[in-house]
Amino acid sequence: MLFYWDIAGVFIFAISGALAGRQKSMDFWGIYIMALVTSCGGGTLRSILIGDVPPFLFTQPVYLIVAAVGTLFARFFPSLWDMFSREVSVLDALGLGIFVCIGTDIALDHGLSWWAAAGLGVITATFGGVIRDVLRNEVPLIFRKEIYATAALGGSLLLMGLQSVGLGQQWCIAIATVATAVVRLLAIRYAINQSSS
Amino acid sequence: MLFYWDIAGVFIFAISGALAGRQKSMDFWGIYIMALVTSCGGGTLRSILIGDVPPFLFTQPVYLIVAAVGTLFARFFPSLWDMFSREVSVLDALGLGIFVCIGTDIALDHGLSWWAAAGLGVITATFGGVIRDVLRNEVPLIFRKEIYATAALGGSLLLMGLQSVGLGQQWCIAIATVATAVVRLLAIRYAINQSSS
Amino acid sequence: MLFYWDIAGVFIFAISGALAGRQKSMDFWGIYIMALVTSCGGGTLRSILIGDVPPFLFTQPVYLIVAAVGTLFARFFPSLWDMFSREVSVLDALGLGIFVCIGTDIALDHGLSWWAAAGLGVITATFGGVIRDVLRNEVPLIFRKEIYATAALGGSLLLMGLQSVGLGQQWCIAIATVATAVVRLLAIRYAINQSSS
């Protein structure tokens, strides 16, 4: 189940990266690399920082494939993205939540303290977007969108809090993911410190 | 033999990086760091990604020296670069090919799958240029020059194909390098999706 | 003693990063991340390059806290920075010196050659600023401020020279740090190749 949400998050983030590349009139390869770094860059940086190399991107082909599908999707059906912008926002917010939970848990598995795990959860969820913005030569959006990183940090802390009271792992991840997504979506709804992403 | 081609590739890529720094009126150190990251950045990133640390740049002084010579060359004889632009293109294309082969083979030596080795071959050959462009505050050229990455990917796959049919290692590398370079040069010749680099 | 200087250097570099983020009207998180990468980015890159992971930033909470204090300081008392610009310059120059010494010694401890240790000392002291400038979408200042990297390199070589003649470790670090700072401050004083930082 976690795996499928991870894949869904990669897919959504890949489309967001591919569209960002498209705006800068990149060619197919450029757009694909944008899709890859946006969806897998945060997790790859986490892997490097905790010495968990080679990163998953180089051991499991599924990520390359999902990012390629997202790239094709962004290339041929960019208008669908606008048409379903509400659904896209929900999926994007859930992707943020699931990435935070995965990053936090992997850091804990590697023996890091809770505060370091929270940091790596936030990095996992947000640094793909930072690299995306650096590559397209813009000041990273996340640095000007407070609620995005705050939602991620809150989700990571909530996950560890729930785990520490002994709740089942599936429930912890589900609740923390949804809570992260809800905070994110409320921020969009009420336009708190928010651009269009 | 492979070693000398590697050095030749580093030299050419270093000059290209130094000239890119010069255009942004960097000082001597800036230009030298540009030469270093352009020529060794891709290989260093590959080393980090597969856990092969410290990277060669910090264990073999020859790369620092070759990049320094390239920097001096770019500083004092920039006009030679224009005068011999045809020869420079050939060397640059051969450098691309040899970097792809080296990156692919090192990844295979570390037990990665063929598709991951192809990815690391492309990263070895192209990410020095990506870092160069990020540092001089431009959208990476490679993202808008399809044929460059395509030639690298093709070279990596050809190398592994030749190796799988049992051809001698020297021949595999020679053929894959030349094939990569030829694709690259044909793309320049017929101006397919190409800037001046 | 070394530890307190390290903390002082992190504090000063964090304020410099936070102010750089403030200029780009980043939000609180953006400014805090700028403070963190400016003060700890060089050391983190060094850790990744020598395989010393997870980096100190993820094992010792003190750095997060010091960077947070620096961020608050930059947010609420930015004018103090201007008022004491002379003192700030001295602290910044001492921070440069101490970071160079720490980076050099850690690299030597990991068995690297003197020239690689010098390189890692310079990276430790300067790459936080490089990442800061990349994130705020500018060509890194260090690439246009020759004397900054030169002072760092000189400090690293001096440190190793003093160590090789058998001087006590405390003295070696004190002398190399002060020498680096003096070169840096003289460069500011006589406006050699210098912006305001």
Side-chain angles (χ1 to χ4, degrees):
Chain A
M1 189 62 199
L2 184 57
F3 177 74
Y4 294 109
W5 274 114
D6 185 21
I7 294 300
V10 168
F11 183 67
I12 292 294
F13 278 43
I15 294 179
S16 128
L19 290 172
R22 224 166 165 273
Q23 279 172 10
K24 294 272 172 174
S25 39
M26 293 182 179
D27 65 21
F28 178 78
W29 274 105
I31 292 176
Y32 182 46
I33 296 175
M34 289 292 280
L36 269 181
V37 299
T38 304
S39 58
C40 300
T44 300
L45 180 57
R46 180 201 63 226
S47 295
I48 291 172
L49 287 170
I50 61 180
D52 180 20
V53 288
F56 59 90
L57 184 56
F58 297 95
T59 56
Q60 297 176 41
V62 65
Y63 296 102
L64 288 184
I65 295 164
V66 172
V69 175
T71 303
L72 292 172
F73 192 87
R75 187 156 174 121
F76 294 114
F77 311 108
S79 54
L80 278 185
W81 190 263
D82 293 329
M83 210 179 302
F84 294 99
S85 66
R86 187 183 296 255
E87 287 78 5
V88 164
S89 292
V90 173
L91 289 172
D92 187 62
L94 287 170
L96 179 73
I98 201 73
F99 279 15
V100 164
C101 291
I102 291 173
T104 302
D105 272 346
I106 291 180
L108 291 174
D109 285 346
H110 276 74
L112 277 95
S113 308
W114 65 269
W115 54 270
L120 284 163
V122 174
I123 286 174
T124 301
T126 63
F127 259 69
V130 171
I131 304 173
R132 174 196 66 205
D133 292 339
V134 166
L135 287 179
R136 59 180 205 150
N137 205 13
E138 295 192 350
V139 173
L141 200 57
I142 176 105
F143 288 7
R144 287 170 292 160
K145 248 178 27 173
E146 195 154 344
I147 221 60
Y148 201 78
T150 309
L153 181 60
S156 178
L157 296 175
L158 177 60
L159 176 74
M160 291 185 283
L162 293 172
Q163 287 171 341
S164 73
V165 299
L167 203 63
Q169 173 71 346
Q170 297 274 10
W171 283 104
C172 294
I173 290 178
I175 294 171
T177 297
V178 172
T180 306
V182 167
V183 171
R184 169 83 176 115
L185 291 170
L186 287 176
I188 294 177
R189 180 75 177 76
Y190 296 101
I192 306 166
N193 191 346
Q194 174 64 25
S195 332
S196 69
S197 180
Chain B
M1 189 63 199
L2 183 56
F3 176 74
Y4 294 109
W5 275 113
D6 185 20
I7 293 299
V10 168
F11 183 66
I12 292 294
F13 278 43
I15 294 178
S16 128
L19 290 172
R22 224 166 165 272
Q23 280 173 8
K24 295 271 172 174
S25 38
M26 293 183 181
D27 64 21
F28 178 78
W29 274 106
I31 291 175
Y32 182 46
I33 295 175
M34 289 292 280
L36 269 182
V37 299
T38 305
S39 57
C40 301
T44 301
L45 179 57
R46 180 201 63 228
S47 296
I48 291 173
L49 286 171
I50 60 180
D52 181 20
V53 290
F56 59 91
L57 184 56
F58 297 95
T59 57
Q60 297 177 42
V62 65
Y63 296 102
L64 288 183
I65 296 164
V66 171
V69 175
T71 303
L72 293 172
F73 192 87
R75 186 157 175 119
F76 294 115
F77 311 108
S79 55
L80 278 185
W81 190 262
D82 292 329
M83 210 180 302
F84 294 98
S85 64
R86 186 182 298 252
E87 287 78 5
V88 163
S89 293
V90 173
L91 289 172
D92 187 62
L94 287 170
L96 179 73
I98 201 72
F99 279 16
V100 164
C101 291
I102 292 172
T104 302
D105 272 346
I106 291 180
L108 290 174
D109 285 348
H110 277 74
L112 278 93
S113 308
W114 65 269
W115 55 270
L120 284 163
V122 174
I123 286 173
T124 302
T126 63
F127 259 69
V130 170
I131 304 172
R132 175 197 65 204
D133 292 339
V134 166
L135 287 178
R136 61 181 202 148
N137 205 13
E138 296 192 351
V139 173
L141 200 57
I142 176 106
F143 288 6
R144 287 170 292 160
K145 248 180 24 174
E146 195 154 345
I147 221 61
Y148 202 79
T150 309
L153 181 60
S156 178
L157 297 175
L158 177 61
L159 176 73
M160 291 186 282
L162 293 171
Q163 287 171 339
S164 72
V165 300
L167 203 64
Q169 173 71 345
Q170 297 272 9
W171 283 104
C172 294
I173 289 177
I175 295 171
T177 297
V178 172
T180 306
V182 166
V183 171
R184 170 85 175 113
L185 291 169
L186 287 176
I188 296 177
R189 180 75 178 76
Y190 295 102
I192 305 166
N193 192 346
Q194 174 65 28
S195 332
S196 70
S197 183
Chain C
M1 188 63 198
L2 183 56
F3 176 75
Y4 294 109
W5 275 113
D6 185 21
I7 293 300
V10 169
F11 183 67
I12 292 294
F13 278 43
I15 294 178
S16 128
L19 290 172
R22 225 166 164 274
Q23 279 172 10
K24 294 272 172 173
S25 39
M26 293 182 180
D27 64 22
F28 178 78
W29 274 106
I31 292 175
Y32 182 46
I33 296 174
M34 290 292 280
L36 270 182
V37 299
T38 305
S39 58
C40 300
T44 300
L45 180 57
R46 181 201 63 227
S47 295
I48 290 173
L49 287 170
I50 60 180
D52 181 20
V53 289
F56 58 89
L57 184 55
F58 296 95
T59 56
Q60 297 176 41
V62 65
Y63 296 102
L64 288 183
I65 295 163
V66 172
V69 175
T71 302
L72 292 172
F73 192 88
R75 188 159 174 116
F76 295 114
F77 312 108
S79 56
L80 278 185
W81 190 262
D82 293 330
M83 210 179 301
F84 295 99
S85 65
R86 187 182 297 253
E87 288 79 4
V88 164
S89 293
V90 174
L91 289 172
D92 187 61
L94 288 170
L96 179 73
I98 201 74
F99 279 14
V100 164
C101 291
I102 292 173
T104 302
D105 272 346
I106 292 180
L108 290 174
D109 285 347
H110 276 74
L112 277 95
S113 308
W114 66 269
W115 55 271
L120 284 163
V122 174
I123 285 174
T124 301
T126 63
F127 259 69
V130 171
I131 304 173
R132 174 197 66 204
D133 292 338
V134 166
L135 286 179
R136 60 182 204 147
N137 205 12
E138 295 193 349
V139 173
L141 200 56
I142 176 105
F143 288 7
R144 287 171 292 160
K145 248 178 25 175
E146 195 153 346
I147 222 63
Y148 202 78
T150 309
L153 181 61
S156 177
L157 296 175
L158 177 60
L159 176 73
M160 290 185 283
L162 293 171
Q163 287 171 339
S164 74
V165 299
L167 203 63
Q169 172 70 346
Q170 296 273 10
W171 283 104
C172 294
I173 290 178
I175 295 171
T177 296
V178 171
T180 306
V182 167
V183 171
R184 169 85 176 115
L185 290 170
L186 287 176
I188 295 176
R189 181 76 178 74
Y190 296 102
I192 305 165
N193 192 346
Q194 175 64 28
S195 331
S196 70
S197 180

